[in-house]
Amino acid sequence: MCGIIGYVGSRPALPILVEGLRRLEYRGYDSAGVALIDDNLCVTKAAGRLSVLEQVLDLNAPQTAGIGHTRWATHGAPTDVNAHPHTDSSGKIAVIHNGIIENDRALRTYLEREGVTFKSETDTEVLAQLIGMLYDGDLEQAVRKALREVSGTYGIGVLCSDEPNVIVAARKGSPLIIGVGKGEHLLASDAAAILAHTTQVVYVGDGEIARITPDELRMTTLDAIPVAKDVEQIEWSLEEIELAGYDHFMIKEIFEQPEVLENCLRGRLDLKENAIRLGGLVDCTRELTRAKRIILTGCGTAWHAALVGEYLFEELVRIPTEVEYASEFRYRNPVIDDGTVVIAVSQSGETADTHAALAEAKQRGALTLGAVNVVGSTIARETDAGVYLHVGPEIGVASTKAFTGQVAVLAMIACFLGRRKHLSPSAAADFIAALSAVPKQIKQILDTADEAKKVAQQYTDRENWLYLGRGYNYPVALEGALKLKEISYIHAEGLPAAEMKHGPIALIHEGMPVVVIATAGSQYDKIINNMMQVRSRGGSVIAIATEGDREIAKQADHVLYVPNTLEPLQPLLTVIPLQLIAYHAAVIRGCNVDKPRNLAKSVTVE
Ligand code: AGP
């Protein structure tokens, strides 16, 4: 989605803005632009990649204040004119904006009646023109007045040539942080954009306005009431957001999984006492153990992890558990009674639908938890309690380590609650021991990563794939199919294996790749039957099986092995070969692995 960067200080702003925009590229965009300011406003923007913009910029520009933006088109095509920053008719004011102004049509009509001529089709220009119309010598005041007139979501940065060395920023529903440096301040929608300069940040809250100069940060509410804010420390380092010798962030993040899962589990698995320690749940443990119902919600990969969570909670905690797409939950009339706990699962902590579902759940009185990766993100801050994933920054658009982190966190929450309900000490001990072995087991799978590459090489010319799984591996089948389609543009469908005979079996034809997760467990015989059904219709079976299974090769065209673990923890292992297949398929097909077409890393609009 769109990205925001801003700088006021004593250094030339442009290289800082361009570098920041480069670090925001992973979020997905289709045009970019910057505005620099001294006595005049100088705006440069271009459709396409950042490199196109760089060709028309004077990288030696001396100005020490400016804003930059990467746009992901919503209102109007990705053209030079529609790219941000947008200016008002006087040419004094420039605005960059993430989010959507929902009443832009009405405001546009009003402004046109007042004589404003628009240059672009965007909702952001409406905001720029409105601020321009209300400006009477005080930029912060004009922004405040304008924002009272708009509905929708925004994270904005605003410059005015009458007030050089000032950026006014504001937020409602779209993340913004202020980086605090020595004699300089930065503005960003994502910590990655400013990490090279500072790790000290102030989070802008919803309904807050920030006015930054090189030496001062002033925060107020929309009603001009001063807000005291703490400066917080970002834990992520610059190295973590760089490629470190890998060709793509996705493969780097796949290979990071053993290490980051260690980080996720560290201090939380107590192998001596056979207990799970979750500091984030201490204050609500009593309420949680009394919960009568759990609703897990999220989108995409996070929803798949939540589906694993449903199986885990029902088996370990014995509490009725449901999984809801956040986008459906927010618009239904969900039944939230006393004792309902809603867990929002999200890597970014900024996904608009998940955030809205959470707000709905809170309004109806649910206790809300977050299973979130980005520390300080909106969902993390707005939930009553939660457990961070601690898997480090995920840059590749295709979620990989966030999925395993989400499943690991849900497994720990399930075991933590299970022990306070029906889970026996010995069952908990087995579970904790098995979970602690997972990082090394993932490493073992990665040591044989070439096997998955060979499968990808053999089948990437096929345009339709099926993924089948049962029980805990059904969500993994969905996740494997999502990974393949989103980065290689191959059509893939994931199914609970038994559903195949209710329709999708009609699709199977000679040579169609069908990935079947057939690990040891309660439904092993049944999944072998499914494999036979596929093969007897000419399909090519790629099985994911448990090491030591000597029979499976007779029923499959290829077998990728994973180590043995408890059934509830299998998704943490079985997903790894599927991530690798998707990655290699995309590379072989020449796709842009980390920035697939039409996709954004974090979907902050509906
Ligand atoms: C998966 O590879 C995608 N990037 C997408 O489905 C993602 O998981 C979804 O948009 C939710 O994002 P979140 O975890 O940041 O909320």
Side-chain angles (χ1 to χ4, degrees):
M1 293 273 119
C2 307
I4 281 178
I5 174 81
Y7 176 81
V8 270
S10 54
R11 296 188 280 160
L14 190 56
I16 296 168
L17 299 181
V18 171
E19 186 212 358
L21 292 179
R22 187 157 310 295
R23 297 211 186 267
L24 292 171
E25 278 191 298
Y26 79 95
R27 297 173 65 94
Y29 71 106
D30 39 41
S31 60
V34 294
L36 295 168
I37 199 150
D38 41 28
D39 294 338
N40 296 304
L41 189 65
C42 170
V43 176
T44 314
K45 45 196 199 172
R49 309 307 294 173
L50 191 53
S51 50
V52 180
L53 176 70
E54 279 181 281
Q55 282 164 19
V56 290
L57 285 172
D58 171 11
L59 290 170
N60 296 314
Q63 293 93 327
T64 56
I67 51 179
H69 191 264
T70 44
R71 172 177 186 251
W72 193 78
T74 55
H75 291 55
T79 59
D80 291 359
V81 172
N82 287 334
H84 300 205
H86 286 282
T87 52
D88 72 328
S89 298
S90 74
K92 280 185 179 178
I93 286 169
V95 177
I96 49 174
H97 165 224
N98 288 357
I100 293 180
I101 305 297
E102 283 166 3
N103 60 339
D104 76 306
R105 289 281 129 208
L107 289 172
R108 184 178 278 260
T109 306
Y110 161 74
L111 288 162
E112 279 171 344
R113 275 202 210 115
E114 295 292 309
V116 170
T117 306
F118 283 89
K119 303 176 279 287
S120 78
E121 303 156 80
T122 65
D123 52 338
T124 304
E125 190 189 348
V126 171
L127 187 55
Q129 296 285 10
L130 187 60
I131 295 170
M133 179 170 280
L134 296 168
Y135 182 69
D136 61 3
D138 182 341
L139 181 63
E140 185 182 345
Q141 199 50 24
V143 170
R144 192 183 309 283
K145 283 186 192 160
L147 292 179
R148 287 196 192 122
E149 303 302 321
V150 306
S151 58
T153 55
Y154 51 80
I156 57 169
V158 188
L159 291 179
C160 175
S161 56
D162 286 350
E163 300 178 43
N165 275 333
V166 174
I167 299 177
V168 174
R171 162 198 170 145
K172 184 180 163 207
S174 196
L176 267 191
I177 55 172
I178 311 286
V180 181
K182 283 204 182 92
E184 59 186 23
H185 281 107
L186 295 107
L187 170 71
S189 51
D190 182 324
I194 59 169
L195 262 182
H197 307 285
T198 183
T199 52
Q200 304 281 306
V201 298
V202 171
Y203 292 95
V204 181
D206 263 353
E208 290 176 358
I209 296 185
R211 181 182 185 278
I212 54 173
T213 67
D215 301 309
E216 194 194 15
L217 159 61
R218 198 168 73 204
M219 304 277 299
T220 49
T221 64
L222 269 189
D223 299 323
I225 298 164
V227 185
K229 304 288 282 197
D230 291 331
V231 177
E232 298 180 42
Q233 174 78 29
I234 305 177
E235 288 170 17
W236 293 348
S237 67
L238 196 56
E239 293 72 54
E240 285 179 290
I241 58 165
E242 292 184 334
L243 274 171
Y246 285 92
D247 290 339
H248 301 99
F249 282 107
M250 182 180 176
I251 193 73
K252 175 182 177 237
E253 287 158 6
I254 290 173
F255 272 82
E256 272 173 2
Q257 285 174 108
E259 187 190 332
V260 299
L261 279 189
E262 289 279 8
N263 295 342
C264 171
L265 303 176
R266 185 170 302 120
R268 292 165 163 177
L269 301 187
D270 183 338
L271 291 162
K272 273 197 195 133
E273 301 285 327
N274 291 320
I276 303 272
R277 316 238 172 254
L278 297 173
L281 302 188
V282 167
D283 291 342
C284 63
T285 304
R286 234 170 110 82
E287 209 176 331
L288 267 178
T289 36
R290 289 178 181 170
K292 297 196 185 82
R293 181 162 154 253
I294 293 175
I295 299 173
L296 294 149
T297 191
C299 305
T301 289
W303 185 82
H304 297 155
L307 213 49
V308 179
E310 180 185 24
Y311 285 78
L312 281 161
F313 279 90
E314 288 199 344
E315 186 164 341
L316 274 65
V317 195
R318 308 295 304 142
I319 293 182
T321 307
E322 296 149 45
V323 181
E324 285 282 348
Y325 283 113
S327 54
E328 290 298 317
F329 181 87
R330 64 183 289 190
Y331 289 118
R332 280 185 22 219
N333 190 3
V335 179
I336 307 271
D337 21 331
D338 233 16
T340 301
V341 175
V342 173
I343 306 182
V345 184
S346 175
Q347 188 285 128
S348 61
E350 303 293 351
T351 300
D353 283 325
T354 312
H355 180 221
L358 174 72
E360 188 62 33
K362 280 187 86 162
Q363 195 178 321
R364 288 169 187 249
L367 174 70
T368 57
L369 302 190
V372 172
N373 192 34
V374 178
V375 175
S377 57
T378 307
I379 294 172
R381 296 160 81 82
E382 292 186 7
T383 37
D384 297 306
V387 181
Y388 279 118
L389 311 185
H390 289 319
V391 296
E394 190 178 69
I395 309 286
V397 165
S399 227
T400 51
K401 61 178 180 173
F403 175 81
T404 43
Q406 285 157 352
V407 172
V409 161
L410 293 173
M412 287 190 282
I413 299 176
C415 186
F416 174 86
L417 288 182
R419 270 303 288 128
R420 285 157 179 80
K421 308 278 281 185
H422 309 283
L423 195 65
S424 70
S426 69
D430 290 348
F431 191 83
I432 291 167
L435 190 51
S436 73
V438 163
K440 282 199 182 67
Q441 292 181 315
I442 295 180
K443 169 86 174 54
Q444 246 176 283
I445 301 169
L446 292 171
D447 288 344
T448 59
D450 271 357
E451 298 303 313
K453 185 175 179 181
K454 283 180 204 154
V455 169
Q457 280 165 338
Q458 187 159 344
Y459 293 104
T460 32
D461 59 337
R462 316 291 158 87
E463 291 301 331
N464 290 292
W465 292 45
L466 273 187
Y467 285 72
L468 306 178
R470 283 172 173 265
Y472 283 96
N473 283 312
Y474 152 52
V476 179
L478 300 184
E479 176 61 6
L482 176 65
K483 286 289 86 87
L484 188 71
K485 65 186 139 192
E486 72 178 323
I487 55 167
S488 71
Y489 319 138
I490 293 171
H491 176 248
E493 233 185 288
L495 293 171
E499 277 298 302
M500 183 179 62
K501 59 185 174 297
H502 297 289
I505 198 165
L507 292 169
I508 294 174
H509 55 80
E510 197 60 37
M512 180 184 191
V514 181
V515 179
V516 186
I517 306 153
T519 38
S522 52
Q523 302 198 52
Y524 179 77
D525 292 340
K526 303 218 181 296
I527 202 108
I528 296 291
N529 286 339
N530 297 134
M531 285 166 59
M532 288 158 129
Q533 288 157 5
V534 170
R535 286 190 107 200
S536 60
R537 286 159 182 83
S540 299
V541 169
I542 301 149
I544 312 299
T546 304
E547 265 169 13
D549 182 342
R550 302 204 191 293
E551 292 302 306
I552 196 133
K554 295 178 195 152
Q555 310 299 341
D557 297 84
H558 304 269
V559 186
L560 301 173
Y561 291 99
V562 298
N564 193 20
T565 187
L566 297 178
E567 228 171 314
L569 298 177
Q570 283 181 358
L572 292 165
L573 305 183
T574 51
V575 77
I576 309 292
L578 306 194
Q579 294 172 346
L580 289 165
I581 291 174
Y583 171 76
H584 289 295
V587 171
I588 293 163
R589 287 165 72 102
C591 301
N592 191 340
V593 175
D594 287 330
K595 293 168 207 142
R597 71 182 177 209
N598 305 337
L599 282 177
K601 177 64 184 158
S602 171
V603 185
T604 51
V605 293
E606 273 197 84

